[in-house]
Amino acid sequence: MSSMAEGGREHSYSGGLTISVVAICLMAASCGLLFGYHVGVAGGVTQMESFLRKFFPEVLSSMKTAKRDAYCKYDNQLLTAFTSSMYIASSLSSLVAGRVTRRIGRQAVMLIGGILFLTGSIINAAAISVTMLIIGQMMLGLGVGFTTQAAPLYLAETSPARWRGAFTIAYHIFVCTGSVVASIVNYLTNPIPKWGWRISLGVAAVPASIVTVGALLVTDSPTSLVLRGKMDEARTSLQWIRGSDVNIEVEFKDIVSAVEKACQNEEGALKKLRSKCYRPCTVMMVAIPVFFQFTGMVVVFVFAPVLFRTVGFNSEKAILGSALINLVILFAVVISTFIVDCFGRRFLFLAGGISMMLCQVLVSWILAEHLGKHNAVTMARNYAVAVLVLMCLYTFSLGLSWDSLKWVILSEIHPVDTRSVGQAISMSIAFVIYFVQAQVFTTLLCHLKFGIFLFFAGCVMTMTAFIAAFLPETKGVPLEALQAVWARHWYWRRFIVQDAKHELDQSG
């Protein structure tokens, strides 16, 4: 049984965990495999000698030059464009995904996303030029942008309220799982001469096929069907999801009522986000994705193999180190799902931020003292291992805090009338910054050297102070009561009170 408060009443819903709801939620969550696999595979492929020899021989030549600056081995803008092009395509598709999802439904958008990703994986595996690679990457990005928009909404709208949090976080667990699988595939294909990279990129077709076939087999969410006026299909869908012997009338009426209210308020969502009363939501929907991108996560998710090659590991061990990093973050995310409602959001944000900052400072110190000294292009093995250990500790802290909590906070801060628009804006911001970081990271590493980690440490210190000052604790607070939490906050209450007074004055 689950309940929903509406207008002072509490409605009880029948139904629980059925085979249908588990199957369709797992299918939707598996969309995370697309994003996770690509992020994990791209960083490993960019340091494979077979890949570099085929498309970027100048980078391979620079790597083998003893006098070459150790930090500048991979400083090639065309090489980074191979990685970053996916994110600019994702940012563009996420901007239109909200409207497309509303018009044709969550299920159809996941299907389109799976087909686009499948197409991109085939193009990448068959690539004979850098242009073909980038086109394939952009197809992957379009697929990721659509599925990242549709899947979380689908999960929220179909899962039982009691287990909604677990099912929503399952999407991120699949993202991490995709990265782990990609690292393992890279490790197995790296020794294959000439065409090992083709297997790594081509295996992306497997999760794409899973999503595509899965989307064909499931029904659209009842909320999406009601939005498009398909009442009979929505009722049938809800009955199938909740179970054939379950009374769905109360829940169905609440869905219809919620959709009607959302449609009345939808056109004013952007205007509301500019009002003072919504100022906390607006600031957080921008600040959280921006801050997350500057935690240094680009090193973990994209360039971990490049970092490990830089400090002296060979290609095989660099990929193995990346696999270890991805396993650590998967482990941390799973732990976070069990403790986030015990310890609270703020505690995990603050503890994770302090730990991440210390790890980055220590990595910077090791690189400053032991990399590139005496014309050497690597460092002593024990120090290289120390960098790996510190990156694992950093990754664990990131997975326990920012990497998990960004999804929780962004899903909590908005009321219903601005939730869809706010999510689309946050996703677009995240993908744009992801693109910029992926494009410039190797150049920054080349020019800032060890200072790049001091830069990230400074960003983490700033964002940790921001959380301490401006984010109230939302643990255990119903979504309907969050406005009261903002109204009690030492800073945000001034905007909410002023806006309330303004509305009273206007009403006379």
Side-chain angles (χ1 to χ4, degrees):
M1 301 285 288
S2 57
S3 62
M4 171 183 174
E6 181 185 5
R9 298 167 297 152
E10 187 169 283
H11 288 171
S12 294
Y13 299 156
S14 301
L17 286 179
T18 63
I19 295 177
S20 299
V21 76
V22 171
I24 64 175
C25 285
L26 285 177
M27 190 288 302
S30 68
C31 289
L33 290 173
L34 305 185
F35 189 24
Y37 185 84
H38 172 76
V39 170
V41 81
V45 166
T46 54
Q47 58 81 55
M48 286 186 182
E49 292 189 7
S50 59
F51 178 78
L52 295 175
R53 186 174 292 108
K54 173 70 175 178
F55 298 105
F56 305 96
E58 67 278 10
V59 175
L60 193 61
S61 176
S62 298
M63 290 172 58
K64 295 180 179 180
T65 302
K67 294 182 180 179
R68 177 72 170 172
D69 189 333
Y71 292 95
C72 300
K73 294 177 182 179
Y74 297 92
D75 184 19
N76 183 291
Q77 288 300 295
L78 197 56
L79 175 61
T80 53
F82 162 72
T83 301
S84 64
S85 55
M86 191 210 80
Y87 303 111
I88 194 64
S90 296
S91 67
L92 294 174
S93 63
S94 64
L95 286 174
V96 301
R99 288 188 176 275
V100 174
T101 301
R102 177 182 173 82
R103 289 181 180 276
I104 66 175
R106 288 39 162 156
Q107 176 229 19
V109 169
M110 288 189 290
L111 175 61
I112 293 171
I115 293 173
L116 288 169
F117 200 91
L118 179 60
T119 304
S121 64
I122 294 172
I123 294 174
N124 273 345
I128 58 175
S129 66
V130 175
T131 300
M132 195 170 175
L133 280 174
I134 292 178
I135 291 174
Q137 290 291 92
M138 296 191 75
M139 294 294 289
L140 296 177
L142 293 174
V144 167
F146 279 115
T147 55
T148 304
Q149 169 72 15
L153 289 176
Y154 188 89
L155 286 165
E157 292 169 355
T158 56
S159 57
R162 184 185 302 177
W163 294 281
R164 183 168 295 138
F167 278 113
T168 303
I169 294 179
Y171 175 84
H172 188 51
I173 292 177
F174 272 88
V175 172
C176 297
T177 302
S179 295
V180 172
V181 172
S183 297
I184 295 172
V185 171
N186 282 339
Y187 180 75
L188 295 175
T189 61
N190 184 60
I192 301 174
K194 295 185 179 180
W195 48 272
W197 61 272
R198 292 189 186 275
I199 299 177
S200 289
L201 295 178
V203 169
V206 175
S209 298
I210 292 173
V211 171
T212 302
V213 174
L216 288 171
L217 298 177
V218 300
T219 179
D220 204 350
S221 72
T223 302
S224 178
L225 291 167
V226 171
L227 274 169
R228 289 176 286 143
K230 299 181 179 182
M231 296 299 186
D232 291 338
E233 292 182 35
R235 187 186 299 273
T236 301
S237 173
L238 184 61
Q239 189 73 71
W240 181 72
I241 292 171
R242 296 292 179 249
S244 58
D245 58 342
V246 172
N247 186 346
I248 61 167
E249 289 306 313
V250 174
E251 183 175 4
F252 184 74
K253 289 179 180 178
D254 283 341
I255 289 174
V256 173
S257 176
V259 168
E260 289 175 350
K261 290 181 180 179
C263 289
Q264 293 171 1
N265 295 324
E266 184 180 21
E267 291 184 357
L270 286 174
K271 183 179 180 181
K272 287 185 175 182
L273 286 172
R274 293 194 295 268
S275 68
K276 289 183 178 180
C277 191
Y278 286 74
R279 187 69 52 82
C281 303
T282 305
V283 171
M284 291 299 168
M285 84 177 183
V286 175
I288 295 298
V290 169
F291 280 151
F292 173 69
Q293 295 299 321
F294 285 99
T295 56
M297 46 68 64
V298 70
V299 183
V300 172
F301 292 114
V302 182
F303 292 108
V306 171
L307 173 65
F308 296 143
R309 284 301 298 272
T310 299
V311 300
F313 291 109
N314 61 29
S315 181
E316 185 179 76
K317 291 181 179 178
I319 293 175
L320 196 59
S322 177
L324 178 61
I325 288 288
N326 287 320
L327 282 171
V328 168
I329 202 163
L330 174 59
F331 179 63
V333 169
V334 172
I335 291 178
S336 182
T337 62
F338 290 101
I339 67 174
V340 65
D341 290 316
C342 297
F343 292 94
R345 285 69 160 141
R346 279 171 54 86
F347 174 80
L348 292 180
F349 266 128
L350 299 178
I354 293 171
S355 177
M356 289 157 57
M357 181 175 59
L358 292 176
C359 290
Q360 287 167 331
V361 169
L362 290 174
V363 168
S364 179
W365 174 76
I366 292 175
L367 294 179
E369 291 295 319
H370 302 284
L371 182 61
K373 298 294 185 179
H374 310 296
N375 293 322
V377 294
T378 61
M379 64 171 64
R381 181 176 180 81
N382 56 334
Y383 289 108
V385 172
V387 170
L388 173 61
V389 172
L390 285 170
M391 288 304 299
C392 286
L393 292 174
Y394 161 81
T395 301
F396 183 81
S397 302
L398 175 67
L400 206 62
S401 57
W402 279 88
D403 194 39
S404 298
L405 295 179
K406 70 179 187 296
W407 301 98
V408 177
I409 295 299
L410 291 176
S411 67
E412 288 180 340
I413 59 174
H414 290 285
V416 170
D417 49 353
T418 62
R419 192 167 297 155
S420 181
V421 172
Q423 182 187 25
I425 292 174
S426 295
M427 286 170 50
S428 183
I429 291 171
F431 279 128
V432 168
I433 300 177
Y434 218 144
F435 161 74
V436 173
Q437 284 204 100
Q439 186 63 39
V440 304
F441 174 74
T442 55
T443 299
L444 289 177
L445 181 63
C446 180
H447 290 84
L448 297 181
K449 304 184 188 307
F450 62 88
I452 185 68
F453 290 97
L454 291 179
F455 168 75
F456 287 136
C459 291
V460 172
M461 181 175 66
T462 301
M463 66 183 70
T464 302
F466 175 87
I467 292 296
F470 298 110
L471 182 68
E473 180 57 66
T474 57
K475 179 188 72 171
V477 179
L479 294 180
E480 298 80 6
L482 279 178
Q483 193 72 355
V485 174
W486 297 117
R488 292 195 299 269
H489 188 267
W490 71 272
Y491 181 77
W492 300 120
R493 64 187 178 193
R494 70 185 68 180
F495 299 103
I496 295 174
V497 171
Q498 289 174 6
D499 198 66
K501 289 181 178 178
H502 179 67
E503 288 187 2
L504 285 174
D505 292 340
Q506 285 188 326
S507 65

